[in-house]
Amino acid sequence: MDAVTHAPHPHVSFDTSPDRYRHWKLSFDDQGGAVATLAMDVREDGGLLPDYRLKLNSYDLGVDIELADALQRIRFEHPGVRAVVITSLKERVFCAGANIFMLRGSSHEWKVNFCKFTNETRLAIEDASAHSGIKFIAALNGICAGGGYELALACDELILVDDGNSAVSLPETPLLGVLPGTGGLTRVVDKRKVRRDLADVFGTVAEGVKGRRAVQWGLVDAVYPTSQFKERVARRAAELAAASDRPADASGITLGPLDAAISPDAITYSHVTLGIDRARRVATLTVKAPESAPPSTPEAIQAEGDRFWPLRAFRELDDALLRLRHNEPAIGTVVVRTSGDPAPVLAVDEALLAHQDHWLVREIVHFVKRTLKRMDLTARSFFALIEPGSCFAGTLFELALAADRSYMLDDQERPTSIALSGMNAGPLRMSNGLTRLETRFLGRPALVEELLAEREPFDPAAALDAGLVSFAPDELDWDDEVRMAIEARAALSPDALTGMEANLRFPGPETMETKIFGRLTAWQNWIFQRPNAVGEKGALTAYGSQSRPEFDFNRT
Amino acid sequence: MDAVTHAPHPHVSFDTSPDRYRHWKLSFDDQGGAVATLAMDVREDGGLLPDYRLKLNSYDLGVDIELADALQRIRFEHPGVRAVVITSLKERVFCAGANIFMLRGSSHEWKVNFCKFTNETRLAIEDASAHSGIKFIAALNGICAGGGYELALACDELILVDDGNSAVSLPETPLLGVLPGTGGLTRVVDKRKVRRDLADVFGTVAEGVKGRRAVQWGLVDAVYPTSQFKERVARRAAELAAASDRPADASGITLGPLDAAISPDAITYSHVTLGIDRARRVATLTVKAPESAPPSTPEAIQAEGDRFWPLRAFRELDDALLRLRHNEPAIGTVVVRTSGDPAPVLAVDEALLAHQDHWLVREIVHFVKRTLKRMDLTARSFFALIEPGSCFAGTLFELALAADRSYMLDDQERPTSIALSGMNAGPLRMSNGLTRLETRFLGRPALVEELLAEREPFDPAAALDAGLVSFAPDELDWDDEVRMAIEARAALSPDALTGMEANLRFPGPETMETKIFGRLTAWQNWIFQRPNAVGEKGALTAYGSQSRPEFDFNRT
């Protein structure tokens, strides 16, 4: 389909830490560390593949993996950080956006999953601002183009140097024939509420907008001459830090490596296993409950640190989902299983709910929330299987609610059950702003209340009757029904399934977040397929060569 | 790109009337005509092209043009109609959906514009229900598949015959590797609030769901055995009709033909002209104000009938937009002009506002609203030019607000002005539920109030200052600035522009309507490009042949 031969996908690991960063420097101010600086200094030869050079702070997935890691560490390891300045160590360059040569050389699914990950990372910045008392300033010390400006848009405030040259821009449409792929258009009109006609001009002018006009149009919050720039950024960061509700004297916890055991057919973590059956194009994702009651006070949780079950299990789940997306494109269906005793899971839920105000508990809850959102946004079919010995209770029942379907065995000899907890009632909202129960029962809000009031487990008949599971086959039908459902799914067009799931998973209200993933991403995916972008004479193909793009001008 | 050679697009006319319908029968009950029946009886050999046969009440654009026409006529010509039964005259077949062989033989842009028109027609059903006191029953007398079920979903109530065979279905994903293209997925989960897991099953089962299960899942409202079916439908239609607020004894007006003069480079109506410059890929759309003050009482408006200026002008505009979309795919930019005296336009606005409760005035206002929405959804760039002699006032100023940009000449010698009216304050809402002023100033609701309070015209300086126009070049810059803007636009990738405009035009809240056009349509467009659907071995290509589709199973 595309005109260019694609390099094979690199096998991606999401495991990194500040001492191993190649592209970012994370530092802290000397007045108590309330302001962190995350400075981009991309190594040109540090791309995931040797096919392209990461000039002018342009980025590939590897650069963004470090950014995502740094954001997590600021939240968990540095509770004293109250404001973050995102800037660049390169002279007169903030960031030139996603690397075009990397994009051009990538397969369609690589491009799409790359954009999805960078979008999730931008949203993680906004999540930290909204829920974690960390405000972000984009200190734009030089050119800020495309994905560079989109990164800046994810920050609370944008300060641009006024040096007669530095501009913000979204040159994707005029230069490349594609769309800004990381929420740029949506954030310009929906978050910054730039007038749509000005946004139209901005989105078609490759050189962008600078100086006072950038402020007048609402594209940045302030511009300062070079002589004042650093000092003004520092002053504003200090002001934002002062308003934070983060604790004054807490110590962070260290996010140690996950140490996954990776074999050809499985990734095995301490609480999560991802089994891969490439012949059937099916993966099995299993999450294990803790074996004994985890700690229940903030002090004890803090002492357990990254070994505390929900943090550990959901970090593993997050990693498994990312590896699945990027390294196993041919897996179409994921069977979701859980195992273990529901009691300690429900005890963890109680502890999380009771101590939501504690900074670490708050971080853990929001991390679980973001991981579940990652699952909602993963373009694979999820079927949850509720079997004897499974543990779909409270937070872990969200896995069944996030699945496209759930099957619960109804066998008197080998009983199964599911259970709800307060964690199903609010803390783990989807990107549409609703809980998964509210989304499931969109037309029946009273039923949601009723179900949440029920704290006893549901047996298969009760779960089916309540609508909490899709099907409850008996022991005679179970094997055939589940097997046939999985086989039937594997036979369908993967593209139609991706589109169908993206439409069915998010009923109800739309938010800026769902607009980015639903409306913007879908249009970007469309354009990423069009000959006008990726064909032999398309704009993305022609970029950087001597030839000009040639378009089929028929409008759709 | 697609595997199949496409037939040339037929040149489409949207002009029809009940006496010329080939596929639909419009009839009225004998008890005063409160219930109309719109019965589908598609002529197999009546397609727009001879390449396919419209079997089993499958449809192409020509069939849908008649449906759209019938809906308009019910609103304007038959004010006594309070409920409409949509059904079929074919035995055991309601409607098999869009004709697959037509779709397969169509170019990408034809498919996309076909789906857009059918979507607008479905939304017109819902608009009539919400605003015009006309309730719709889908009387599903037989198989109801794909687009057939999507047509039914646009109705207020769905009644399915329970004959052991008739089912509702969305077989697009399992049979064709595409998505239901007329809002089906969105309406299932968002309008009917079917549980997402049940919707997932429903969307993957080619044979669909029938009988009691269809009611239990919320896919239809009722099922009745064949023996009771007709009587139950009639009874329910009478109940719905009884609750309508339509007038008891009004006479309708006749929507006469528009009699456009069509030359190779222009379509000329009485108040609207569409000039076509294919070499520059630019069209010029001009709307003329009425020459004298139009009538201002409901009686006088009724007496003028379809010659009443706003109805006539916006019917012409609607027709021009449709012909542009379907017959002139290579036109990328539309220059929007108006001419004439603002006074009669503002007088019309006052009359429309004063008599909104009168059935005919209500119909006219909603028709103007729908036409402007059609403009919002037209995938061409619109630039409004506000020049001496122009008439961007009140309702006509909505054309400038709907445009992607506006340029207003600032020349003391040749003054220009724009004006607002109460018609900019609410009656002409966009599909996002906001007025165009509210959308434009999303972050400044107080400014909207302030501007609406100003009933004097705005000169260029005031209009620019208020943000009501994008640019106000003086007479020295005007020609170059406008020419260069139009030329620059024409050089850009049409696909990137389509995607960009679809993202910038609808900031703010999303509704079911914007979800259908934003989220669902974009995904469908993506899939319509994918080799898994339209490639040599894609599912759409393989349908009806001996061969089975072959998929690239990589997920995106």
Side-chain angles (χ1 to χ4, degrees), chain B residues 521-535:
Chain B
T521 299
W523 278 112
Q524 173 71 302
N525 288 6
W526 176 69
I527 290 166
F528 270 157
Q529 287 283 296
R530 297 282 286 162
N532 282 337
V534 296

Side-chain angles (χ1 to χ4, degrees), chain B residues 128-148:
Chain B
S129 168
H131 302 296
S132 199
I134 307 174
K135 296 298 164 189
F136 291 82
I137 294 180
L140 310 174
N141 59 305
I143 59 162
C144 175

Side-chain angles (χ1 to χ4, degrees), chain A residues 555-556, chain B residues 113 324-334 375 377-382 404 498 501 505:
Chain A
R555 273 279 199 143
T556 46
Chain B
N113 276 299
L324 174 74
R325 279 190 196 168
H326 292 268
N327 299 334
E328 300 290 345
I331 298 295
T333 309
V334 180
M375 183 170 163
L377 285 166
T378 296
R380 313 295 168 99
S381 303
F382 290 94
D404 296 292
T498 291
E501 290 156 4
R505 288 179 184 174

Side-chain angles (χ1 to χ4, degrees), chain A residues 108-109 190 197 200 329 379 381 405 440 470 489 495 502 508 510 515 519 526 529-530 532 554-555, chain B residues 108-109 190 197 200 329 379 381 405 440 470 489 495 502 508 510 515 519 526 529-530 532 554-555:
Chain A
H108 185 67
E109 62 265 22
D190 265 300
D197 56 336
D200 179 273
S381 304
R405 301 182 195 174
R440 186 175 185 88
S470 316
R489 194 74 164 195
D495 303 325
E510 297 258 351
K515 278 173 117 162
R519 179 181 276 268
W526 176 68
Q529 285 283 294
R530 296 283 287 161
N532 282 337
N554 280 349
R555 273 279 199 143
Chain B
H108 186 65
E109 62 265 24
D190 265 300
D197 57 335
D200 179 273
S381 303
R405 300 181 196 174
R440 186 175 186 85
S470 315
R489 195 73 164 195
D495 303 325
E510 298 257 351
K515 279 174 116 162
R519 178 181 277 267
W526 176 69
Q529 287 283 296
R530 297 282 286 162
N532 282 337
N554 279 349
R555 272 278 199 145

Side-chain angles (χ1 to χ4, degrees), chain B residues 15 49 66 98 128 134 144 166 172 194 206 249 263 279 281 333 335 351 383 392 476 504 513-514 522 546:
Chain B
D15 180 28
L49 286 177
E66 293 184 4
I134 307 174
C144 175
S166 296
E172 286 85 347
V194 172
D249 48 4
S263 74
R281 300 194 305 277
T333 309
V335 172
F383 286 4
F392 285 99
L476 296 175
L504 295 182
E513 197 168 330
T514 62
Q546 301 301 325

Side-chain angles (χ1 to χ4, degrees), chain A residues 220-270:
Chain A
V220 304
D221 295 287
V223 290
Y224 296 111
T226 312
S227 58
Q228 298 173 27
F229 181 71
K230 281 195 179 164
E231 191 262 324
R232 289 293 197 142
V233 167
R235 197 193 298 177
R236 188 65 191 137
E239 285 168 12
L240 290 175
S244 168
D245 68 350
R246 294 204 100 193
D249 49 3
S251 316
I253 64 163
T254 302
L255 299 177
L258 297 176
D259 294 327
I262 299 182
S263 73
D265 298 331
I267 307 175
T268 310
Y269 308 84
S270 62

